[in-house]
């Protein structure tokens, strides 16, 4: 049981390049999330998918797109990377169903540098 | 929408000192509250959570938190910290189907 996995772990891009960050979970969770973590800013939600087939914008969606490929996988795409997107990206999942839920499980993160 | 404030950005303690980290959320009603910890170079892990019932919540590694509804607070405590508690701590509150995180508190425990 791997939990939440993310690939790649590290990536360096040049300004204007595109890339897709992959995330998968094996806990049969309905909801998945993408965050970015920057010093002094905490975690900020980029996009989330409350259930398979739905996606919604979070706090900082500009410059990103997402795809909920199936219940397990939720990818984040940077179409034209900018230096402001240099960050650590975390994927998370949770089972959103009734009381006692909403706890999120996090992946190991992707450290992205855009030069 | 909910928001979360963590007023202590950096805390430095000696081993065996007591810890209290502040967390306030923006509005009442039914709230679900969380504390997560991020050890250096690692991902976030859940320390404890509050959904209902006893406002004093016990978590892993000797941590506890108290939900005080009248103060909109959910402060994290530990009676005696260890060097291994050096980490960043995040408070979070549920906002519909999402969690809203605070900006985090970096704790450094010196041996």
């Amino acid at each position: 049981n791997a939990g939440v996995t993310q690939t790649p772990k590290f990536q360096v891009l040049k300004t204007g390049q595109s890339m897709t960050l992959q995330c998968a979970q094996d806990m049969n969770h309905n909801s998945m999330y993408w965050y970015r973590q920057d010093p002094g800013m905490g975690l900020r939600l980029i996009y989330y998918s409350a259930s398979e087939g739905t996606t919604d914008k979070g706090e900082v969606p500009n410059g990103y797109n997402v795809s909920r490929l199936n219940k397990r996988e939720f990818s984040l795409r940077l179409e034209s990377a900018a230096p402001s997107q240099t960050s650590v990206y975390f994927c998370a999942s949770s089972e959103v169903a009734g009381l006692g839920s909403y706890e999120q499980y996090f992946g190991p993160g992707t450290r992205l540098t855009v030069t | 929408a909910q928001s979360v404030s963590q007023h202590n950005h950096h805390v430095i303690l000696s081993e065996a000192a007591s810890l209290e980290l502040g967390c306030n959320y923006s509005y009442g009603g039914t709230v679900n509250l969380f504390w997560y910890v991020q050890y250096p170079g690692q991902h976030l892990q859940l320390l404890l959570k509050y959904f209902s019932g006893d406002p004093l919540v016990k978590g892993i590694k000797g941590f506890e938190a108290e939900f005080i509804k009248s103060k909109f607070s959910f402060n994290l405590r530990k009676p005696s910290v260890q060097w291994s508690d050096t980490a960043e701590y995040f408070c979070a509150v549920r906002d519909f189907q999402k969690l809203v995180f605070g900006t985090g508190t970096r704790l450094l425990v010196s041996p």
Side-chain angles (χ1 to χ4, degrees):
Chain A
N1 196 352
V4 180
T5 57
Q6 292 183 235
T7 55
K9 286 189 167 48
F10 300 94
Q11 183 71 49
V12 179
L13 291 178
K14 290 184 175 3
T15 298
Q17 287 185 317
S18 62
M19 79 161 296
T20 300
L21 282 65
Q22 306 287 354
C23 173
Q25 51 92 9
D26 62 3
M27 295 174 283
N28 203 35
H29 285 166
N30 284 319
S31 301
M32 298 184 74
Y33 309 83
W34 276 106
Y35 295 91
R36 59 178 290 173
Q37 184 179 27
D38 303 289
M41 307 286 284
L43 272 80
R44 292 182 292 169
L45 183 64
I46 304 171
Y47 272 93
Y48 68 102
S49 171
S51 61
E52 190 179 353
T54 69
T55 59
D56 286 285
K57 294 178 181 179
E59 183 185 351
V60 288
N62 290 345
Y64 305 95
N65 284 302
V66 289
S67 294
R68 183 75 184 266
L69 304 168
N70 49 53
K71 192 170 185 180
R72 287 188 64 246
E73 298 171 287
F74 188 39
S75 63
L76 178 73
R77 182 160 178 83
L78 286 70
E79 290 291 351
S80 178
S84 60
Q85 294 178 303
T86 293
S87 187
V88 181
Y89 291 85
F90 288 100
C91 178
S93 71
S94 71
E95 183 55 58
V96 180
L99 287 178
S101 307
Y102 304 103
E103 172 186 341
Q104 292 186 10
Y105 295 80
F106 284 81
T110 295
R111 188 173 292 276
L112 175 67
T113 301
V114 183
T115 61
Chain B
Q2 282 277 15
S3 64
V4 175
S5 296
Q6 291 182 246
H7 306 294
N8 314 103
H9 298 297
H10 292 89
V11 173
I12 302 173
L13 294 173
S14 299
E15 273 193 318
S18 65
L19 170 72
E20 181 160 2
L21 302 182
C23 172
N24 290 92
Y25 59 94
S26 56
Y27 64 84
T30 302
V31 287
N32 302 145
L33 294 155
F34 306 80
W35 275 98
Y36 281 83
V37 61
Q38 185 178 30
Y39 298 104
Q42 296 190 26
H43 61 281
L44 275 76
Q45 303 168 47
L46 183 71
L47 269 180
L48 48 79
K49 60 187 177 186
Y50 171 79
F51 284 91
S52 63
D54 188 345
L56 186 61
V57 180
K58 293 198 184 298
I60 60 171
K61 306 189 180 191
F63 285 91
E64 64 179 31
E66 186 174 11
F67 169 58
I68 303 180
K69 191 172 183 178
S70 61
K71 295 185 178 180
F72 297 85
S73 71
F74 189 56
N75 291 355
L76 181 71
R77 301 196 293 244
K78 186 171 184 179
S80 176
V81 294
Q82 301 172 312
W83 175 79
S84 58
D85 293 323
T86 293
E88 191 160 14
Y89 294 81
F90 293 92
C91 181
V93 62
R94 184 175 69 85
D95 182 24
F96 297 102
Q97 295 170 316
K98 313 185 296 290
L99 295 187
V100 177
F101 286 83
T103 53
T105 298
R106 283 188 186 274
L107 172 65
L108 175 64
V109 180
S110 57

